[in-house]
Amino acid sequence: MKTKTHLFKYLAFAIGAAVFFTSCSDDEETIPDIPPSEGTELTLNGGVGGSAAQNIVFVDLSAAKQDSAKRESWDLGFYCGNDFRVILNSSKGAITALNTQETDINAVTPAKVDVNELALGLNYETYEFIGSFDLIDDTTGNLNNTAIDAISTGENPVYIVNTVGGATVDPANVWKVKISQSTNGYSVQYAKLDATNVQTIEIQKDNEYNFKHFSFTGGIVNVEPPKTEWDFSWGYTIYFTMLGTDPVPYNNSDFIKLNTLNGVQGAMVKETDIAYASFSEANISSISFSGNQNVIGANWRTVPSPTPGVEAGTKKDRYYVIKDVAGNIYKLKFNSFTAEDAGKRGYPELEYQLVKRG
C-alpha cells in the first residue's frame, strides 16, 4: 500500500506539473491582439528639395507611422516574390536601361555601345522628345513589363544602365550589369562601363519584403520597410504626361503609389457623391476598390502654375478610401502640400480615419 500511495502522489505531481508548464507555454505563444490605429494626422517627412524632395516616404495606416529613405540611395530593386524580376529606381527620375545583346560583361565596352541610346527626356531647344518607354519600367507597376527582362535560368544578357536620367547622357554615369538566377535569389556582375574590374554580389530573396535594393556604389541598401508594414509610398517618380496627343515619360513630384504587390487596394471618392465627414461603414459597399498602384498618383493636388486661374494646393473635391492587407478600411484626405494652401512643399499634411476594422 505504501508503494501505491507514493505512486499516486508521484502521478498527481507529474500531471499537475504538466498542466502548469503547458499553461505557461500556451501563454507565451499567445499573440496579442493589437487593434489598428483609429486614424490620425500626419505630416510626411519628404525632406529638403521642395518639388524634388530627397526622401521617399512609406506610410503604414494601421500603425500610424511613416518611414523614409533617401530616394537616390539605390539603383536596382530585386523582386522577392516567385518571379525573378528587377526594377529600376523610378524615384531617381528617368534612370534607363538597355539590352546590349551581349552575354559576356567584359565584351561590353564604350566602343561597343552607344550611350546616347539611353537618353530620355525633352530637348528644350527643339522641343522634341528623346527616347521611349522601352527604356523604363511600366509606370503602372506591372512587373511583366520592366526595362530589364525577366531573369531566366539560362544565359542572361548584359544591360547598360544610366543612373542619372536626362535628354543627354554622361558616360561617367553609365554602368554595365549582368544578372543571373542563384539558389535563392540573384547573382549580379557589375562595373562602370569603361572598367575592367568586374564585381560580383549575391542578393538573396527575403519573403518579408517586396524587393531587396541595390546601389552600384553602395551595395545592398535598406529602402522599403517589410511589405506588411506599409500601405503607400509618397515621393518623386518617373510617370508620364501628354506632349500634344502623345504620352511621354515625365518626372512627377508628390506621387503616391499603393502597395498593391502586398494586396493594398484603393478608390477615389468625390465629395459631391459622399462627403468625407459622412463616409461610414454603410458606404463601403458602394466603393469599387482597385489594385492599380496609381489610384491616388498625383491626382490629389494641383501644382503651382503661371497659368491664370490655376490655384495650387490639395484638391478639396475628393478623398480616398484604402483597404490594407489585413482588411482594415480607411478614409484619407490631404490638407496641404505647398505654400499656396498653407503647407510646405516636401512635407504634405494628411489625415485619415478607420472606417471598418478587418
Side-chain angles (χ1 to χ4, degrees):
M1 293 295 294
K2 184 176 182 180
T3 301
K4 289 184 178 180
T5 300
H6 281 296
L7 178 60
F8 289 146
K9 287 181 177 180
Y10 174 78
L11 289 174
F13 173 80
I15 292 170
V19 170
F20 173 80
F21 286 114
T22 299
S23 176
C24 289
S25 176
D26 287 345
D27 289 342
E28 291 175 354
E29 294 177 0
T30 300
I31 299 174
D33 179 27
I34 302 176
S37 169
E38 292 291 328
T40 188
E41 297 180 353
L42 287 176
T43 298
L44 303 187
N45 181 26
V48 299
S51 61
Q54 66 179 357
N55 294 337
I56 180 171
V57 182
F58 301 90
V59 177
D60 185 346
L61 298 174
S62 64
K65 71 172 185 176
Q66 61 175 302
D67 293 282
S68 61
K70 295 293 186 295
R71 62 181 177 83
E72 297 205 6
S73 65
W74 61 284
D75 297 303
L76 304 176
F78 294 80
Y79 185 50
C80 292
N82 293 329
D83 297 330
F84 286 79
R85 285 283 179 176
V86 180
I87 61 170
L88 305 174
N89 180 4
S90 63
S91 69
K92 289 181 77 170
I95 176 173
T96 53
L98 184 67
N99 187 337
T100 68
Q101 306 301 323
E102 290 278 359
T103 56
D104 179 3
I105 192 168
N106 291 304
V108 178
T109 65
K112 293 287 186 68
V113 297
D114 181 2
V115 296
N116 293 312
E117 293 183 359
L118 289 166
L120 185 70
L122 187 65
N123 183 327
Y124 285 95
E125 293 182 0
T126 62
Y127 209 66
E128 177 186 8
F129 186 82
I130 300 170
S132 75
F133 283 99
D134 293 336
L135 295 169
I136 61 173
D137 297 337
D138 182 81
T139 58
T140 68
N142 183 353
L143 289 182
N144 292 319
N145 189 16
T146 50
I148 296 175
D149 290 334
I151 309 304
S152 71
T153 55
E155 197 75 64
N156 289 278
V158 178
Y159 285 81
I160 52 174
V161 178
N162 181 25
T163 60
V164 179
T168 59
V169 179
D170 183 348
N173 298 323
V174 178
W175 292 72
K176 54 186 176 181
V177 60
K178 179 177 180 177
I179 306 166
S180 305
Q181 286 192 26
S182 63
T183 303
N184 187 40
Y186 306 83
S187 180
V188 185
Q189 293 178 284
Y190 63 101
K192 292 295 288 289
L193 179 59
D194 60 354
T196 56
N197 56 326
V198 175
Q199 301 180 68
T200 301
I201 189 171
E202 300 294 321
I203 299 178
Q204 299 297 306
K205 288 188 176 186
D206 185 340
N207 192 49
E208 295 293 313
Y209 295 83
N210 287 331
F211 296 94
K212 300 300 288 184
H213 297 84
F214 166 80
S215 163
F216 286 120
T217 57
I220 297 172
V221 292
N222 293 322
V223 179
E224 292 183 7
K227 62 186 180 183
T228 59
E229 296 181 15
W230 65 281
D231 300 309
F232 65 85
S233 66
W234 169 96
Y236 196 81
T237 193
I238 185 75
Y239 192 50
F240 71 88
T241 190
M242 301 302 294
L243 185 63
T245 59
D246 299 319
V248 294
Y250 176 75
N251 292 333
N252 211 313
S253 304
D254 317 298
F255 202 90
I256 291 175
K257 299 178 181 180
L258 299 183
N259 184 6
T260 53
L261 285 178
N262 196 48
V264 177
Q265 297 179 307
M268 182 187 76
V269 182
K270 286 294 189 75
E271 282 279 348
T272 52
D273 294 331
I274 309 170
Y276 177 85
S278 302
F279 190 92
S280 66
E281 185 173 344
N283 301 116
I284 293 175
S285 61
S286 67
I287 298 299
S288 296
F289 287 101
S290 169
N292 181 343
Q293 72 169 12
N294 301 334
V295 166
I296 300 177
N299 295 320
W300 59 276
R301 90 292 187 264
T302 301
V303 296
S305 170
T307 304
V310 176
E311 295 185 8
T314 56
K315 294 182 178 179
K316 307 301 184 184
D317 66 338
R318 67 195 63 190
Y319 59 93
Y320 298 88
V321 180
I322 297 175
K323 180 192 293 186
D324 70 15
V325 68
N328 300 308
I329 297 176
Y330 290 93
K331 58 181 179 180
L332 177 150
K333 68 175 181 176
F334 298 89
N335 293 326
S336 70
F337 92 105
T338 188
E340 285 79 357
D341 63 353
K344 184 178 180 180
R345 199 75 184 267
Y347 300 89
E349 298 177 1
L350 59 86
E351 66 178 84
Y352 67 95
Q353 293 180 18
L354 180 66
V355 177
K356 180 182 180 182
R357 181 175 178 178

